[in-house]
Amino acid sequence: MIIGIVGAGPRGLSMVERLIRNNRENQHIQICLFDPDGPGGRVWRLDQPTELLMNSVSQQVTLFTDETLTSGGEISPGPNLYQWSQTEAKKYIEKQQFVNKEFFLAEAERLRANEPATRCFYGLYQQWFYEQLKKLAPHSFTIVRSLVKEIDKIKTGFYLKTNEQHLVVDQLVMTTGHWENKVSEDEKRFYDYAEKEQLFYQPPANPADVSVETIPPKTTVILRGLGLSFFDYVGLLTENRGGKFEKQGEKLVYLPSGREPIVYCGSRKGLPYFPRGKNEKRGGAMAVPKLITKENLAKLYQNQQLTGKLFFDLLKKDVELFYYKKLIEEKHLAISPVLFEQIFLTRDQSDWQKQFPELQPYQWEWDFFETPIYHEKHDFQKESRRFIDYQINESMKGNCTGAIASAFDALKDWRDPVHLVIEWGIFTAKEYREVLWGWFTKLNAFLTIGPPVVRTRELAALIDAGIFTIVSPPLEIKTEAGFFIVENEGQRIESRYLIEARLPQTDLTQTKNPALNSLKKHQLIRPFTYQDTTGVYETGAIDIKLSTNQVWNKQGELEENLYCLGIPVEGVDWLTATVSRPYTDAWNLRQIDKVAQLILGRTTN
């Protein structure tokens, strides 16, 4: 059996590993892994700027399975990213010949368990992982370092073509990751204007692929977006140009090189994502919910009582309960956590607030986290800078000590229940569009998938130094007189440089990925559509059977030998870009393990 895997990032590599480890019957299999950038793929390549960081701490990143795996596959323990940096990394790096060799040796030496690694260092870990697989099964797989341009179905298999060769496979797994799209209508307006006026316009892209070094010093630049990609530009436009951050007391101060541009940045909300809380968790320690346990949800589902509204009501109540119990610890309040939990879960809000008035000053408010600053009523520059300090202070308290950071981290820990209810299909099309993706996914991103706190501290220093300014929301960009223009509290900002500080959205109808476009042309895949009596929602994701990741073709038939995982299915699946965390029965490793067993003809749990 020949198995093709298109994309050699973490999911593609994990798929290779799961196929090899789960091949208990020693079937004759040949795995062909396709990626022009080799192991790790483009996002994690070794030659990207070293200023770009992961947003997970190094001890919470792995490619290996462990005893917590519940999908029934063979367990294959190995070092997490931090453990690898302290054991195998130095010996491995010293044997290699690449440009950043000294940098990698230094990073392996200085990396700490609760600090994020650079993205290229994670890429190095993936390359080492790949070489371990080659030693494990030297004749079972090969890597084709070329872009797949064409895919078509022939009989029961698939024909793949690159510039250099063609190959026929029996089973095909697509793990293509992030890809650029055609420009949207809004983006095309800016793109065409930039061409006409000879301006610089950058559509959504991986910041590592953007040539920001061509932007002259002291030039005004507009960044649209304040999420994770924005924080990549924080490093690329400052430290990468020779600037330095210096610690003065508890603050960071920025020492300019003089080569920086002047950056105006903003978004609809107008505030950057919350930084990750300082990690205080060890191993696979995770917050335990009271209401959205698998058992409780299964009982509600079996009794046909579980709706999208009820699920999110329970989730919100779980977050609030976790927060208040942590708050009692943080503030050393004379309240019994056991008694509080009992009353909180059995009485309405007005009742428990009367019984515990000392909690009133610290009341959890979802509205606050959705809209922390109503800029019409405040001096936005002053309030946003104060809010960033609040973010930093809460993050630095830690994700076991600080009530806010702990609650956000609990929300991050409780992603499995979300995956579960999506698979069960409990949402109406209206809830799917407006609640899951329109409300919860955006709020969850703002609260739980932000940058390392060092990046937020650096942003604060850059604002204080006058290098970065956050524009009062919503950021609106006009095109006039040969410039991109934004208004900021009465000030007119003109710029010849506009950068979309965000990754391309998943959209099969607009992707530039040649392999996906070929599958689409041959009607082997289709975009996901959610439809019922409440409406229709088209997400742009590749439509799959969630329990198996097999794709549905244009005719609505299941392509049993064609699978898709990760970024291309974001919109039918949820939060598909996460890394695997050790000792947590990681959802993405569990998913990959199930697919590997299906391909090998084994029954999964």
Side-chain angles (χ1 to χ4, degrees), residues 186-187 201 203-206 224-225 229-230 233 500-505:
D186 183 42
E187 293 158 4
Y201 174 66
N206 180 355
R224 182 159 71 162
S229 291
F230 163 75
Y233 287 110
E500 304 284 4
R502 52 195 169 88
L503 293 172
Q505 286 188 325

Side-chain angles (χ1 to χ4, degrees), residues 111-137:
L111 187 62
R112 297 293 176 262
N114 289 318
E115 293 177 355
T118 60
R119 289 191 198 157
C120 50
F121 194 76
Y122 180 40
L124 192 64
Y125 174 66
Q126 291 177 60
Q127 292 211 6
W128 169 82
F129 181 78
Y130 166 82
E131 293 188 17
Q132 303 314 297
L133 296 178
K134 287 295 290 182
K135 292 176 185 176
L136 180 66

Side-chain angles (χ1 to χ4, degrees), residues 44-46 48 54 81 84-85 89 93 103-105 107-109 111 117-126:
W44 308 106
R45 66 184 189 272
L46 304 190
Q48 65 185 295
M54 301 186 72
L81 181 56
W84 178 76
S85 75
I93 295 166
F103 172 83
F104 287 133
L105 285 169
E107 179 161 10
E109 183 71 27
L111 187 62
T118 60
R119 289 191 198 157
C120 50
F121 194 76
Y122 180 40
L124 192 64
Y125 174 66
Q126 291 177 60

